[in-house]
Amino acid sequence: MKVFLDTERLILRYFTEADVDNLYELDSDAEVMRYINGGQSSDREQIRSLILPGFLKYYDDYQGYGYWAVEEKLSGKFIGWFHFRPPLDGGEDIELGYRLKRALWGKGYATEGAIALIHKGFTELGTERVFAKALAVNSGSIRVMEKAGLKFEKNFIEMKFPGSNKEAVRYALDQKEFN
């Protein structure tokens, strides 16, 4: 296991091709996928042939940035992932994102991982600005952004989100504002 970062309770490690089943299990929970694609499971073959190879490609293309599998230190079990990456739209800011198993929501793991990634970005990777976005109705994700120190930046319409309510929020933090 190649560790990228660890915290008090978490290990953020590099994904491997052996993580197909971990990702499939995570994405099979309709509540986990609710604000991502309306609750639809990801197809195992799509994970194997498209999603996971996309995660792995970041390691070659962007030193220190990408997708990180998360394991709970105490149990050693896969509990989800974080991304800390250049955004897909080609912007210069670094995008923070997270997806954790529902059974672990509300335990502070998303905040703990987000804070650790932001700290590493600003102190070791030369990151100048971090942002995260979520549907405006996703109060749990917004709470994580706020606890991690990101500040509300704007409301916008995110066309990739499912359903008719596409109002989203963007939170951000500049390196010079980081404590």
Side-chain angles (χ1 to χ4, degrees):
M1 169 174 62
K2 186 174 177 186
V3 174
F4 176 71
L5 176 67
D6 66 34
T7 69
E8 181 181 339
R9 302 179 298 162
L10 304 174
I11 295 172
L12 280 70
R13 65 167 174 79
Y14 287 75
F15 271 102
T16 71
E17 291 178 4
D19 283 306
V20 170
D21 290 337
N22 288 330
L23 290 171
Y24 181 72
E25 180 184 351
L26 178 66
D27 287 5
S28 292
D29 184 329
E31 274 303 299
V32 169
M33 302 303 286
R34 178 179 177 193
Y35 298 118
I36 298 163
N37 65 14
Q40 300 299 308
S41 295
S42 296
D43 176 81
R44 185 186 300 272
E45 179 55 28
Q46 183 182 33
I47 290 170
R48 188 196 64 73
S49 64
L50 294 173
I51 295 171
L52 188 55
F55 287 8
L56 298 175
K57 186 169 176 9
Y58 270 92
Y59 305 143
D60 293 329
D61 293 350
Y62 302 101
Q63 183 66 32
Y65 296 100
Y67 285 80
W68 313 105
V70 182
E71 293 182 0
E72 187 180 43
K73 272 187 179 177
L74 189 60
S75 69
K77 292 182 180 177
F78 174 88
I79 63 169
W81 57 258
F82 284 88
H83 70 234
F84 195 71
R85 66 174 189 193
L88 299 175
D89 67 7
E92 293 183 17
D93 299 345
I94 298 301
E95 183 178 18
L96 170 69
Y98 32 85
R99 187 177 305 170
L100 299 176
K101 289 184 176 182
R102 181 173 24 147
L104 298 163
W105 292 355
K107 297 187 183 300
Y109 288 146
T111 301
E112 184 175 324
I115 289 170
L117 283 167
I118 291 166
H119 182 268
K120 185 174 182 81
F122 287 152
T123 62
E124 296 178 29
L125 301 176
T127 302
E128 293 186 25
R129 184 171 169 81
V130 174
F131 78 94
K133 58 187 180 177
L135 283 177
V137 297
N138 188 346
S139 60
S141 193
I142 293 168
R143 197 165 35 257
V144 169
M145 291 183 243
E146 292 171 345
K147 286 181 177 180
L150 280 70
K151 306 291 185 230
F152 175 79
E153 187 175 80
K154 67 179 180 176
N155 287 310
F156 66 101
I157 302 299
E158 178 65 90
M159 297 309 293
K160 76 172 188 154
F161 286 129
S164 59
N165 184 356
K166 298 179 185 301
E167 184 180 344
V169 294
R170 178 179 161 124
Y171 280 65
L173 182 66
D174 290 322
Q175 191 279 331
K176 60 184 170 263
E177 299 170 330
F178 178 69
N179 295 334

